[in-house]
Amino acid sequence: MESMKKCLLLSGGIDSVCLAFLVKPDIAITIDYGQLAAKAEIKSSKFICEKLGILHEIIKIDCSQLGMGDLSNNPMSKYNEFSDWWPYRNQLLITLCAMKAIQLNVVEIMIASVANDSSHFDGSQNFIECIDKLISIQEGTVRVSAPVNHLTTVELIKNSKVDLNFLRSWAHSCHKSNYPCGKCRGCYKHYEALEICAKSLI
């Protein structure tokens, strides 16, 4: 019987890259759902998987017409104060990942939600528990976990022991472009976390 596998929902951003190094999953799944930085996220994720020897699967589903805010070409929503909010995004991505996971004999999907993601409901502990229950009661009994949601991004970087220069070069956290814009919440988080980690080494 084929062994049951664990997979990581890998965006190529700083959190998911560090989690990949920390847990070294059997499979990583990257999803192009129509976000503006999809090409860079796939490039980053592919390189990380090659480096770690992880099977890399890519799903392409164009949901761009449903997007809002920085990750899309559409205006921000009046329902959320944050410019990077895309309605039901994590729910969508986890569902698509679970659909592929069934084919790959995956029993657990790991997401790189961290403690400082709680500004979005779909990064909260409550959401993680709800989506895990929802996915697990359906066919295949796949579970959803967020193994580092008790850590901040800075703590995750330190625990993963990934070289900071490597993260600067290969993690892509920009929401607006395939090249870092330096002006979005993703870029701000990326630069701030790396700066804090660098200062702690001095």
Side-chain angles (χ1 to χ4, degrees), residues 155-196:
E155 291 168 338
L156 174 56
I157 292 170
K158 292 179 178 179
N159 283 9
S160 70
K161 297 182 171 57
V162 182
D163 181 76
L164 298 185
N165 287 327
F166 180 88
L167 287 176
R168 287 190 187 94
S169 300
W170 285 103
H172 186 83
S173 303
C174 183
H175 295 151
K176 295 183 174 183
S177 172
N178 288 308
Y179 300 92
C181 71
K183 299 177 181 179
C184 68
R185 277 167 50 88
C187 285
Y188 292 151
K189 173 183 173 178
H190 181 101
Y191 297 143
E192 181 181 15
L194 289 176
E195 184 178 0
I196 292 171

Side-chain angles (χ1 to χ4, degrees), residues 101-119:
I102 291 291
Q103 299 177 4
L104 300 171
N105 207 32
V106 165
V107 296
E108 181 181 345
I109 297 169
M110 294 176 283
I111 61 172
S113 180
V114 293
N116 41 310
D117 284 340
S118 58
S119 58

Side-chain angles (χ1 to χ4, degrees), residues 10 12-22 44 48 162 166-167 171:
L10 180 64
I14 198 165
D15 295 325
S16 65
V17 168
C18 287
L19 183 55
F21 274 84
L22 191 63
S44 172
I48 299 304
V162 182
F166 180 88
L167 287 176

Side-chain angles (χ1 to χ4, degrees), residues 15-119:
D15 295 325
S16 65
V17 168
C18 287
L19 183 55
F21 274 84
L22 191 63
V23 302
K24 296 181 177 62
D26 303 295
I27 301 167
I29 295 177
T30 303
I31 303 176
D32 175 353
Y33 53 98
Q35 72 276 33
L36 293 177
K39 288 183 180 178
E41 291 181 11
I42 291 171
K43 180 180 179 181
S44 172
S45 298
K46 181 179 179 181
F47 180 81
I48 299 304
C49 289
E50 288 174 351
K51 184 172 181 64
L52 293 175
I54 298 169
L55 176 65
H56 188 215
E57 296 282 343
I58 300 169
I59 299 171
K60 295 188 178 184
I61 305 286
D62 187 2
C63 299
S64 57
Q65 64 177 322
L66 304 175
M68 303 188 83
D70 288 350
L71 289 88
S72 72
N73 281 317
N74 302 323
M76 278 181 61
S77 170
K78 64 180 180 180
Y79 296 106
N80 195 286
E81 63 181 300
F82 298 109
S83 61
D84 57 333
W85 186 71
W86 177 310
Y88 305 103
R89 185 174 70 106
N90 280 1
Q91 185 173 336
L92 168 70
L93 299 182
I94 292 168
T95 300
L96 292 171
C97 189
M99 293 166 74
K100 185 65 177 179
I102 291 291
Q103 299 177 4
L104 300 171
N105 207 32
V106 165
V107 296
E108 181 181 345
I109 297 169
M110 294 176 283
I111 61 172
S113 180
V114 293
N116 41 310
D117 284 340
S118 58
S119 58

